[in-house]
Amino acid sequence: MANSLTAAEAARRLGVKPATLYAYVSRGVLSRGKAADGRGSLFDAAEIERLARRGRPRRPAGTVDITVESAITEITADALRFRGFDATRLAVSRSFEEIAELLWTGELRRAEATRTGAGEPWHATPAALAVGRGAQAVLPAGILPLERLQVIVPAMATTDALRLQLDESAVLAAGRNIIAGMVDCLPSPSGSATAGSSAADASAADASAADASAADASDAADASAADASADTAAPASAGGTIAERLWSRLSDRRPSPGLLGALSAALVLLADHELAASTLAVRAAASVRADPYAVVGTGLGAMSGTLHGGASLGAETLLAAARDPADVPRVVGELLRRGEKVPGFGHFVYRGGDPRALALLDLVRRTAPKSGQLAVAEAVLAEMRHKSLPEPNIDFAVATLARVAGMVTGAGEAIFAVARTAGWIAHALEAYTGDDPLRPRAVYTGRPAIIEP
């Protein structure tokens, strides 16, 4: 970029901090280029000069800009990239373990080097498993998978005496231990109080498609054969992939290769999403040197909100409320009459449609075209488009996968939590290298100072 300034030079000319400079970029006030090494930022000198003469742009009341430099994830109007790689392509070509390692180290390694054998093992320590399983086992009936995970992670932390060792290798080991433990400490569907509700609903809705031959080897037949006599899948061994083991904790059906691939793709697509609310909370915790378990616990708390990872539960409920595709207009209409938003649609970042949702829904369609639950989801999509309402987001796509696969209620939140833990660890690694805590300031809007009489 000719006649350009570095970030430090541009901030100095404007009389602002570098964080404010990048906030101007995120708000579209300034454009930014890349330095020759691909890492630094360059700003047009003339544009900086015009802004300096015009004065600082005013911000609407009640809004806040928090901008953090990160080399992990890039979001554009229609794309998501992890370390420069398109996430939708990674989702169909790489395993979740490989993508976690990419986010953590910047290296896209072969699967054999990220699983047991050549690389670090992806299983939790025996002590972590014992404590994590014991902690969640005493929870009341009806507890959702995410609520179990919020208990499992801090319980596992008590078994890691070196969890405050924050060098990269130690954090990577903790990350693998946490993710594997989150999955392997969950109960099997038959032992969970939430099991059967989603699976039973899916079986009833899929009854029209359940006449597919059990001998048919196609993914469509596997997805359609949802009758009660279907084989029950045994929990995957600790040597399986994270996707395989997570499936066995969320569904008692034997997965078809296609649906298992869709679950793996969902984990990849959800692995990180830049500075989402939970990730901002995670970076704040890591910036004050909270250990990786505490960091993940922070993320789990933030993502449970209905405007974040918890939105998939709302989408699951929406799909379960419709008896069949013909019942969808009634369900959607009732939501709108109550003044509620239809869960799983629209996104703050992707105004033209969430590319993650498009990719995952396409996988589910190709895998289980005859699924009755997919037909319900398609009817919801058609109804939303008929009313010119927003496009689906990843929460709706994950809820669709969960319903088609006959997973337990709340499976979407669990998929989100396990996947996003990879991103949280990556952001923690970046934050651990910083010198200062992430400490935003508030703009006080309360009562003026009171002078005592």
Side-chain angles (χ1 to χ4, degrees):
M1 183 185 292
N3 300 320
S4 59
L5 301 176
T6 66
E9 291 170 337
R12 192 159 48 246
R13 175 65 186 92
L14 295 173
V16 299
K17 295 180 179 180
T20 302
L21 183 72
Y22 289 111
Y24 291 166
V25 173
S26 69
R27 289 161 54 195
V29 175
L30 286 176
S31 57
R32 177 180 63 164
K34 292 287 184 68
D37 61 6
R39 300 182 66 182
S41 299
L42 295 177
F43 296 84
D44 182 81
E47 187 178 28
I48 293 295
E49 188 61 29
R50 287 195 297 271
L51 181 58
R53 291 178 179 178
R54 191 169 66 243
R56 297 186 188 183
R58 291 188 177 275
R59 185 171 61 203
T63 64
V64 63
D65 288 317
I66 300 176
T67 306
V68 176
E69 283 195 303
S70 174
I72 300 169
T73 297
E74 179 185 17
I75 297 176
T76 66
D78 57 0
L80 173 68
R81 300 185 185 92
F82 298 150
R83 303 283 189 181
F85 295 94
D86 185 279
T88 59
R89 294 185 179 182
L90 293 174
V92 295
S93 62
R94 297 287 187 157
S95 70
F96 170 68
E97 290 90 333
E98 289 176 295
I99 301 313
E101 297 282 347
L102 170 65
L103 294 174
W104 297 344
T105 68
E107 298 179 10
L108 190 56
R109 301 193 293 169
R110 295 175 61 85
E112 291 77 9
T114 62
R115 291 178 57 193
T116 56
E120 292 294 329
W122 278 76
H123 58 74
T125 65
L129 289 175
V131 172
R133 287 169 176 166
Q136 70 82 28
V138 299
L139 296 176
I143 291 296
L144 296 173
L146 176 59
E147 296 168 315
R148 294 183 184 278
L149 293 174
Q150 289 172 324
V151 171
I152 288 168
V153 171
M156 289 195 301
T158 64
T159 69
D160 189 347
L162 300 181
R163 61 185 179 275
L164 284 170
Q165 184 71 30
L166 302 182
D167 58 275
E168 181 176 329
S169 61
V171 174
L172 296 186
R176 299 183 190 104
N177 188 61
I178 292 169
I179 291 174
M182 289 169 70
V183 173
D184 294 335
C185 287
L186 284 173
S188 63
S190 58
S192 171
T194 61
S197 55
S198 180
D201 289 344
S203 295
D206 282 352
S208 61
D211 58 352
S213 171
D216 190 339
S218 70
D219 290 341
D222 283 336
S224 300
D227 60 334
S229 62
D231 288 339
T232 298
S237 69
T241 66
I242 292 297
E244 290 168 343
R245 287 145 61 188
L246 182 58
W247 179 288
S248 73
R249 303 298 173 169
L250 299 179
S251 177
D252 56 7
R253 297 186 194 173
R254 194 174 301 278
S256 68
L259 280 179
L260 184 59
L263 175 59
S264 177
L267 289 171
V268 170
L269 292 168
L270 284 165
D272 191 50
H273 206 232
E274 197 215 59
L275 282 189
S278 59
T279 305
L280 180 60
V282 158
R283 290 194 74 117
S287 74
V288 293
R289 304 302 183 264
D291 68 75
Y293 297 86
V295 160
V296 172
T298 299
L300 289 172
M303 69 137 285
S304 65
T306 57
L307 299 182
H308 196 6
S312 64
L313 181 60
E316 285 180 37
T317 304
L318 165 69
L319 294 173
R323 293 186 296 270
D324 52 46
D327 195 34
V328 164
R330 175 191 65 80
V331 173
V332 173
E334 287 180 356
L335 278 174
L336 297 177
R337 278 194 295 274
R338 293 196 298 267
E340 299 176 18
K341 290 184 178 180
V342 180
F345 288 83
H347 199 281
F348 175 76
V349 176
Y350 305 112
R351 300 300 187 183
D354 187 338
R356 303 169 300 170
L358 299 177
L360 185 55
L361 287 171
D362 184 58
L363 282 174
V364 175
R365 288 185 182 108
R366 286 189 277 130
T367 296
K370 297 180 181 179
S371 166
Q373 284 297 292
L374 178 61
V376 170
E378 296 285 18
V380 173
L381 291 170
E383 186 70 10
M384 293 293 287
R385 286 169 183 152
H386 175 70
K387 298 181 183 298
S388 299
L389 294 172
E391 291 296 308
N393 59 37
I394 189 63
D395 301 306
F396 182 80
V398 172
T400 299
L401 169 62
R403 296 290 298 171
V404 169
M407 293 180 177
V408 299
T409 301
E413 292 179 317
I415 295 168
F416 188 113
V418 171
R420 191 56 57 86
T421 296
W424 293 335
I425 295 295
H427 284 273
L429 283 164
E430 278 195 340
Y432 287 149
T433 64
D435 295 327
D436 300 318
L438 180 56
R439 185 17 175 121
R441 292 298 309 276
V443 176
Y444 179 69
T445 60
R447 177 185 296 172
I450 300 173
I451 301 176
E452 294 293 339

